[in-house]
Amino acid sequence: MAKAPPDTGAHPDPAAHQSVLAASEAHASRAASPPATEEQLPDPARLANMLQRLSEIAGDGEGAVSRLALTADEREAHRVVAGWMADLGLTVAVDAFGNTIGTLPGQRADLPALGIGSHLDSVPQGGRFDGVVGVVA
């Protein structure tokens, strides 16, 4: 078994290390902030409506969804979500693979970007939350 090189404390990529440190410091300063106000919290009714709308696309009405990848039903789900993104002020684009990407610039350009995502397709007869919870969350 090969020995690991000694830890010199140096980060292999100083620029990336500084970026992580800046994000950690920003997080620490936000952690000391007062708790979120009610208007900053997610609206459960809005989320439930979004999940319901997506379950209607290729849903069987009984909780199962068959919104398979690369189908017209999946594209319809992407159109619906793109509309929601645009309504919220995001810039919406579709990449060469068909992924819908919403971009909202942060308040501080000196901090690293945050990327989140999920999928809008489902397995055959999947649950109504398959993938879409990660999208609407």
Side-chain angles (χ1 to χ4, degrees):
M1 179 177 211
K3 271 183 137 177
D7 184 2
T8 63
H11 193 280
D13 182 352
H17 181 65
Q18 288 303 316
S19 177
V20 169
L21 283 178
S24 294
E25 290 168 4
H27 176 73
S29 69
R30 284 191 304 272
S33 301
T37 63
E38 201 167 301
E39 63 258 359
Q40 293 171 319
L41 296 174
D43 177 358
R46 181 178 59 88
L47 295 175
N49 289 336
M50 295 169 95
L51 292 169
Q52 177 60 36
R53 173 64 182 105
L54 289 170
S55 75
E56 293 167 358
I57 302 171
D60 67 1
E62 296 180 20
V65 173
S66 292
R67 190 174 38 253
L68 305 181
L70 307 174
T71 63
D73 289 328
E74 184 201 21
R75 293 312 323 150
E76 175 62 18
H78 279 268
R79 280 189 289 281
V80 168
V81 170
W84 293 337
M85 289 176 170
D87 290 347
L88 291 170
L90 281 72
T91 301
V92 181
V94 177
D95 70 11
F97 292 101
N99 297 304
T100 301
I101 302 166
T103 304
L104 182 66
Q107 294 178 357
R108 292 190 43 198
D110 60 318
L111 295 177
L114 171 65
I116 58 172
S118 191
H119 57 98
L120 292 169
D121 61 330
S122 73
V123 298
Q125 296 296 297
R128 63 182 288 225
F129 302 126
D130 182 6
V132 298
V133 168
V135 173
V136 302

